Amino acid sequence: MSGVFSPTRAKIDKRTLRTDKWWLEPAITFGVLFSFVIYATFRAFEGANYYAEHLISPFYSPCLSEACVPEATMFGWTPVSAEIFNFALSPALIILIFPLGFRMTCYYYRKAYYRSFWMSPPACAVAEPHKTYTGETRFPLIIQNSHRYFFYAGLVLNVILTYDAVISYRNAAGEWGHVSVGSLVLTLSAAMLWLYSLSCHSCRHTIGGRLKNFSKHPVRYKMWSWVSVLNHSHQRFAWFSLAAVAFADIYVRQVASGAWTNFYFFQRTLKNHDSRT
Ligand code: FES
């Protein structure tokens, strides 16, 4: 026996002595994350309703497949063949590994899903059901150490999604000043993703780590101080950004399928032209 049941630990036969609702938080986390995974999987395989009126879903950007709606591509760049392994690849599946890997290896989400999905442990002072513990020293959990690389990839995606948000303020003729609910939804989604990335622990380490002293690096110290402030709210940004990205996708899907009308606060005269570039 190991863990809390190992010979050197106090002999307590109950799983926990806690009397509060310690199971509530992991249960809610499980419900929300599981719902998001189901929805994201459905959307990733749907391969449709991801572009409408200069709005592209964050699940499908950048759209790199030859199967992409032409207006949804970046500068018409489609390096991935539409037919891979004899099935039509949804454009979302090409890029999914990066946002998925970033979230799956996030230090906060690790805590969240280790507790809610694996119950390892489910809460403080509640014994886990597992008999052995190897931490993140073996496959597959050793992959968690790749988080910093997913962080770099996430920054690239953030730039692209910010670009998507900016060009959603143009009309079909390429004129600026085209403000709709969809533009604001994409802007909020991009802003939340930046806050999530900039508050990341790897970001904090990239900026202020591996220094012997801060006094010789005043600029990095200043940036580290700012990131440290954001870092305090990383958990909050993790949930806000998840909700914002999910809602941005839902919004674009609803507009693209014709279920919702994208409301315009301001719209300039349209000319006979349509391009995202
Ligand atoms: Fe959460 Fe890096 S620690 S994104």
Side-chain angles (χ1 to χ4, degrees):
M1 300 293 266
S2 66
V4 293
F5 302 111
S6 60
T8 55
R9 303 291 291 270
K11 300 283 179 293
I12 300 173
D13 51 7
K14 284 192 169 24
R15 192 166 166 225
T16 182
L17 298 177
R18 286 180 66 166
T19 54
D20 61 329
K21 292 190 174 68
W22 58 265
W23 46 267
L24 189 58
E25 187 178 329
I28 293 173
T29 305
F30 177 86
V32 175
L33 278 182
F34 191 65
S35 306
F36 179 81
V37 168
I38 297 289
Y39 174 75
T41 304
F42 157 70
R43 278 295 282 153
F45 281 94
E46 188 179 33
N49 297 322
Y50 54 84
Y51 177 80
E53 302 180 29
H54 278 232
L55 307 173
I56 181 166
S57 159
F59 285 15
Y60 282 81
S61 185
C63 209
L64 301 176
S65 167
E66 285 174 350
C68 291
V69 175
E71 294 81 11
T73 62
M74 292 193 72
F75 311 107
W77 188 51
T78 54
V80 181
S81 166
E83 298 289 330
I84 293 185
F85 306 123
N86 293 326
F87 68 90
L89 191 65
S90 162
L93 295 173
I94 301 166
I95 54 160
L96 190 66
I97 180 66
F98 300 108
L100 186 69
F102 187 38
R103 294 219 178 233
M104 288 290 288
T105 59
C106 164
Y107 290 89
Y108 165 65
Y109 279 115
R110 283 188 223 179
K111 172 192 148 191
Y113 68 76
Y114 285 173
R115 287 188 174 187
S116 57
F117 283 76
W118 293 358
M119 297 187 289
S120 179
C124 289
V126 180
E128 60 182 300
H130 309 283
K131 298 267 189 310
T132 57
Y133 176 77
T134 56
E136 295 173 341
T137 58
R138 295 187 193 163
F139 182 83
L141 292 185
I142 198 167
I143 294 174
Q144 305 283 31
N145 291 303
S146 61
H147 183 62
R148 77 190 68 175
Y149 303 108
F150 282 113
F151 163 68
Y152 301 141
L155 291 181
V156 175
L157 282 182
N158 286 355
V159 171
I160 292 170
L161 296 183
T162 304
Y163 170 78
D164 291 342
V166 169
I167 64 169
S168 71
Y169 289 89
R170 299 193 317 183
N171 65 16
E175 297 167 328
W176 295 99
H178 180 75
V179 185
S180 69
V181 173
S183 316
L184 300 182
V185 167
L186 291 192
T187 303
L188 180 68
S189 168
M192 282 297 139
L193 284 172
W194 275 115
L195 287 172
Y196 176 54
S197 295
L198 294 177
S199 63
C200 165
H201 299 279
S202 287
C203 177
R204 188 165 176 259
H205 179 73
T206 301
I207 289 175
R210 304 175 77 90
L211 295 178
K212 286 211 165 36
N213 55 61
F214 276 129
S215 58
K216 291 184 181 155
H217 304 274
V219 175
R220 287 184 68 180
Y221 174 67
K222 197 67 188 162
M223 291 168 63
W224 177 84
S225 305
W226 293 336
V227 167
S228 296
V229 172
L230 292 176
N231 183 252
H232 280 295
S233 302
H234 186 60
Q235 173 175 339
R236 211 167 296 141
F237 293 139
W239 287 112
F240 287 170
S241 61
L242 192 79
V245 169
F247 183 71
D249 176 76
I250 291 169
Y251 188 86
V252 173
R253 182 176 188 277
Q254 295 300 88
V255 172
S257 65
W260 290 355
T261 301
N262 188 23
F263 178 77
Y264 292 93
F265 299 102
F266 183 78
Q267 191 172 18
R268 300 183 70 173
T269 310
L270 301 181
K271 294 175 186 170
N272 187 23
H273 176 76
D274 191 15
S275 169
R276 292 181 69 240
T277 58

